[in-house]
Amino acid sequence: MNILRYYILGIVLFYVPLLYGQMQTKVYNYTKFTSKSSPDITEELMKQTPEELRSHPEFGFLPYDAPCDDCFELLDKRTDTSRMFVRKGTNGSYFYSQGFYGTPHFDKEGYKLSLDPRLIKKSDGKYVSKRLVTPTVLNINERHSGFEINGETFKFNNKIELVLVKNNAPNESMGEANWSDYTIGDEGIYIKNAWPGIDITISYSQDNIKLNYIIPQPLNYLNNVTNLIFSDNLQLPNNYSIVPENYGANTAQGYSGKYLINNALNQEIFSIDRAYVNDNSTIKENTLFLNYLLDNNQLKLVLPNAWLNTATYPVTIDPLVNTTTVYGPGTMNFRYNGDRCTGPNGYCGYTISTSRPLNSTITDVRFNAQYISSGSCWMNEAAFKIQGPCGISPATAGVFWNCNTASAGTCTATGYSIYSETSSCLTPVCSSVLTYTIQNSYCYSSTSGCVASCQVMPINSWSITVEGRTLEVPGLTTLNPSPCTGSVNLAAGPSFGVPGFTYSWNTGASSPSISVTSAGTYTVNVTDACGVSALQSFTIACPLSIEMNAFEVLKTNDKVLIYWETINETNNDHFVVERLIDDDWEEIGTVKGSLHSNEKLSYKVIDENPFKEECHTTD
């Protein structure tokens, strides 16, 4: 049957969106700024953020070290040690649960803010990182870096001067470092030719500032020079002092240990680590620890030229490995002669407990981590395993994560998957807490126990992200069966979530699939074992069984003629002709069809009593 209506007919197109779904030596960003200055606030984000949190300073921003780019954070789920994210465009079904070993947030002005060491521009020549317990600063105009506490600035790397100590001749000052040729990014600054042939980098991480002098090739002005002295004019607020930690030799040639910045109560506020220099030879014995000379608050670093004469270039001089605030979270340590080198000492273990995304199937587990190898310890001598709820897979039990780099430096991993190794045994559940343990060990050096040494991992650098997806169903399914006879099988297609599923069709059926025999829209509400529901829809839109060539409506006296032609008919038994009166359709006639035809055929129906609308005139 085909229904013909003489009315202004239009074609309506329905648009339905389709929902489609070994570690590395760290290279600091000295060229660009990656943090966004304006929020990305969408309707989806608004719906999933409580009204009282829409004034949060980070509403619409992704926090530092977020585990995803195409997502937003659920601020109401933020805790001291964890946070939760949702992938954009998934209607809240694709989650990322991120847990930290440490505290990635701090409380300020009633908000829980994410720690973020990235620099932002405050004014011309001045860059700051405010999202820290002790904010950091880089001042290009005044040529210093530093920390800010309670409105006071602790200036480090301040107006650094280079002096050449000569044999049987007066010392020669090379002047203060020239900061005119530089690039800058949100992780620090690279200064080219601070002195001829010597570059400077100042790098910013959470709670520390790291200075390097870099000499790319031999210097041509060191004849008769015995030492190079780099002098940092430390500027500390009143009642603060710099004192040696008394670890290392303290002789007339200098002190080779660590310095502390203490307050009036003799409490350590900052520390300046041992200094060393290494070259590009990959020969460990070529690493040299350097001496400091302290003259009031002027801290001088002594580099013997004799060492430079035997070095393989480029050379890196690292006088301030970490200038670290004691307000920071501290470090996770590595056990010497442990599992990494098949030694007897095992490892230093640290554990994260991470809430899995609720009501979900886990689809991946990934980690971020970073460790720092300093002095004569190299990155390839440290390593770690991560053990998860499924233990460590026998297939990967010998795998260690590290950088295979024969030098000191910072080794980093971002978004590395450990699902198959640690978590593939997990089945979908409504809720649970997952435990992951990192196992740190290293070779070389002889420090005993789990104490800070030449291999350390900043606490907040280790995080675990568990990805999970709640119940999902396909989008609208449109079926055009041909021929339009018999039955059509419709099957619900739930995925993810937590089985078992229950089904409720608009036909009253409760089975996973149904069979239907007529066109129309059919829906099924799918509910998983956690009570999460999703609605799946099907539309059966049979194509017309005729192909028309003409359709006309003609007035003939007081009657209406409806005329049409077909050039193809398939399974067409008859036509029903209807007219519209006051928003209601009523039948005026039926005409027998040809059943099957590929010739031009004509048909007509006369409306003997068409609807007449009265007209009134006024004289």
Side-chain angles (χ1 to χ4, degrees):
M1 176 183 72
N2 289 280
I3 299 176
L4 277 67
R5 294 167 169 170
Y6 66 97
Y7 182 65
I8 298 175
L9 300 176
I11 298 174
V12 181
L13 300 179
F14 293 91
Y15 173 72
V16 180
L18 299 179
L19 300 179
Y20 292 102
Q22 165 151 131
M23 291 179 77
Q24 299 179 341
T25 302
K26 180 173 177 60
V27 178
Y28 286 88
N29 171 22
Y30 302 127
T31 59
K32 61 182 180 180
F33 293 89
T34 59
S35 59
K36 290 186 177 181
S37 59
S38 58
D40 181 13
I41 300 175
T42 64
E43 183 178 354
E44 188 178 18
L45 173 62
M46 292 286 288
K47 288 180 178 179
Q48 298 194 53
T49 303
E51 186 174 353
E52 64 271 17
L53 285 173
R54 294 174 190 169
S55 59
H56 193 289
E58 294 179 65
F59 178 57
F61 292 92
L62 276 178
Y64 179 68
D65 271 354
C68 45
D69 295 321
D70 56 342
C71 63
F72 56 85
E73 184 182 1
L74 301 177
L75 289 170
D76 58 318
K77 306 297 183 184
R78 182 180 283 193
T79 74
D80 286 341
T81 60
S82 67
R83 48 200 184 199
M84 186 81 72
F85 302 82
V86 176
R87 178 176 286 187
K88 295 177 181 177
T90 65
N91 295 317
S93 68
Y94 197 136
F95 289 88
Y96 305 81
S97 177
Q98 185 180 35
F100 288 82
Y101 188 87
T103 306
H105 306 122
F106 67 105
D107 296 317
K108 184 177 181 181
E109 298 176 356
Y111 295 106
K112 195 170 294 296
L113 302 179
S114 59
L115 294 169
D116 188 345
R118 292 176 295 183
L119 295 169
I120 59 172
K121 186 174 182 179
K122 182 176 181 180
S123 60
D124 287 344
K126 187 173 182 179
Y127 299 82
V128 298
S129 178
K130 295 182 177 180
R131 292 284 173 85
L132 293 172
V133 177
T134 51
T136 54
V137 62
L138 173 64
N139 194 314
I140 295 173
N141 301 326
E142 297 181 6
R143 303 189 302 281
H144 70 78
S145 65
F147 291 90
E148 294 183 342
I149 301 179
N150 299 325
E152 295 182 310
T153 300
F154 296 72
K155 296 181 181 180
F156 299 95
N157 313 317
N158 180 44
K159 298 180 180 180
I160 305 169
E161 180 186 3
L162 174 61
V163 173
L164 306 181
V165 179
K166 296 190 173 182
N167 186 24
N168 298 322
N171 296 344
E172 178 184 355
S173 174
M174 301 294 289
E176 290 184 13
N178 180 357
W179 287 41
S180 63
D181 185 3
Y182 67 87
T183 61
I184 189 169
D186 56 27
E187 291 186 310
I189 187 171
Y190 193 106
I191 305 167
K192 186 76 172 176
N193 285 318
W195 303 278
I198 303 177
D199 302 338
I200 290 176
T201 64
I202 305 175
S203 309
Y204 288 74
S205 300
Q206 190 168 302
D207 303 308
N208 67 73
I209 302 171
K210 186 176 188 296
L211 171 71
N212 282 344
Y213 302 115
I214 301 170
I215 307 178
Q217 56 190 9
L219 304 175
N220 59 11
Y221 52 83
L222 298 184
N223 292 334
N224 202 36
V225 170
T226 58
N227 294 314
L228 290 76
I229 297 181
F230 299 90
S231 180
D232 183 358
N233 296 282
L234 303 177
Q235 193 170 113
L236 307 177
N238 292 334
N239 300 318
Y240 287 86
S241 59
I242 177 170
V243 296
E245 188 188 39
N246 294 322
Y247 172 84
N250 194 355
T251 67
Q253 287 74 39
Y255 170 62
S256 63
K258 180 177 180 179
Y259 277 97
L260 310 178
I261 310 296
N262 294 345
N263 61 15
L265 299 177
N266 206 34
Q267 297 170 320
E268 178 189 339
I269 305 300
F270 299 101
S271 65
I272 302 174
D273 279 5
R274 300 179 71 190
Y276 65 92
V277 59
N278 56 31
D279 66 1
N280 201 41
S281 66
T282 71
I283 299 173
K284 184 178 293 291
E285 288 73 19
N286 279 9
T287 298
L288 177 69
F289 282 94
L290 303 179
N291 288 336
Y292 288 117
L293 296 171
L294 182 62
D295 183 4
N296 294 318
N297 279 351
Q298 192 173 66
L299 188 62
K300 302 177 180 180
L301 179 70
V302 182
L303 173 63
N305 186 32
W307 185 92
L308 285 176
N309 289 334
T310 62
T312 302
Y313 288 80
V315 165
T316 301
I317 307 151
D318 196 338
L320 308 179
V321 177
N322 288 290
T323 304
T324 306
T325 168
V326 298
Y327 300 133
T331 60
M332 303 157 62
N333 302 315
F334 288 70
R335 189 179 292 277
Y336 164 68
N337 197 19
D339 290 352
R340 171 69 180 98
C341 41
T342 64
N345 295 332
Y347 55 83
C348 299
Y350 303 89
T351 296
I352 290 178
S353 293
T354 304
S355 296
R356 64 183 289 165
L358 297 177
N359 313 324
S360 66
T361 295
I362 292 179
T363 57
D364 202 3
V365 176
R366 298 181 286 126
F367 79 91
N368 294 353
Q370 185 179 106
Y371 68 87
I372 301 170
S373 305
S374 60
S376 56
C377 292
W378 290 352
M379 287 180 276
N380 62 357
E381 295 165 343
F384 58 86
K385 294 181 182 180
I386 299 178
Q387 179 173 323
C390 304
I392 296 180
S393 169
T396 58
V399 172
F400 285 89
W401 294 97
N402 79 334
C403 286
N404 189 26
T405 307
S407 70
T410 300
C411 181
T412 187
T414 301
Y416 283 51
S417 179
I418 53 171
Y419 176 75
S420 61
E421 178 182 353
T422 67
S423 310
S424 57
C425 73
L426 298 174
T427 57
V429 297
C430 298
S431 65
S432 69
V433 174
L434 306 177
T435 299
Y436 295 85
T437 300
I438 196 167
Q439 304 173 356
N440 298 345
S441 59
Y442 77 106
C443 312
Y444 190 75
S445 182
S446 59
T447 303
S448 62
C450 289
V451 297
S453 64
C454 58
Q455 305 280 12
V456 297
M457 178 178 287
I459 280 180
N460 283 346
S461 70
W462 182 41
S463 66
I464 294 288
T465 298
V466 182
E467 296 182 22
R469 301 174 73 165
T470 58
L471 174 65
E472 298 176 17
V473 295
L476 176 66
T477 301
T478 300
L479 304 174
N480 290 282
S482 182
C484 275
T485 59
S487 63
V488 178
N489 189 62
L490 305 179
S495 56
F496 306 110
V498 181
F501 304 107
T502 59
Y503 308 88
S504 177
W505 295 85
N506 61 344
T507 63
S510 59
S511 54
S513 63
I514 61 173
S515 181
V516 299
T517 58
S518 60
T521 298
Y522 299 86
T523 61
V524 56
N525 191 58
V526 184
T527 304
D528 75 355
C530 304
V532 178
S533 296
L535 190 68
Q536 184 175 355
S537 299
F538 303 83
T539 293
I540 299 178
C542 288
L544 288 174
S545 59
I546 63 170
E547 185 177 355
M548 300 187 70
N549 186 55
F551 182 84
E552 297 181 10
V553 180
L554 304 172
K555 182 179 181 296
T556 60
N557 297 321
D558 59 349
K559 300 177 182 180
V560 174
L561 171 67
I562 302 97
Y563 172 86
W564 66 96
E565 295 176 356
T566 66
I567 57 175
N568 186 62
E569 297 182 35
T570 304
N571 294 322
N572 182 34
D573 181 72
H574 65 279
F575 299 90
V576 175
V577 182
E578 297 179 343
R579 67 184 180 187
L580 179 68
I581 300 177
D582 296 332
D583 295 327
D584 291 322
W585 293 96
E586 65 179 20
E587 182 181 328
I588 62 170
T590 63
V591 178
K592 184 68 176 177
S594 68
L595 193 61
H596 300 288
S597 173
N598 57 9
E599 299 176 354
K600 183 166 73 172
L601 301 174
S602 61
Y603 301 90
K604 67 179 179 180
V605 166
I606 296 177
D607 187 353
E608 300 286 350
N609 298 294
F611 174 74
K612 298 177 181 179
E613 184 176 1
E614 295 183 3
C615 297
H616 301 274
T617 61
T618 303
D619 292 336

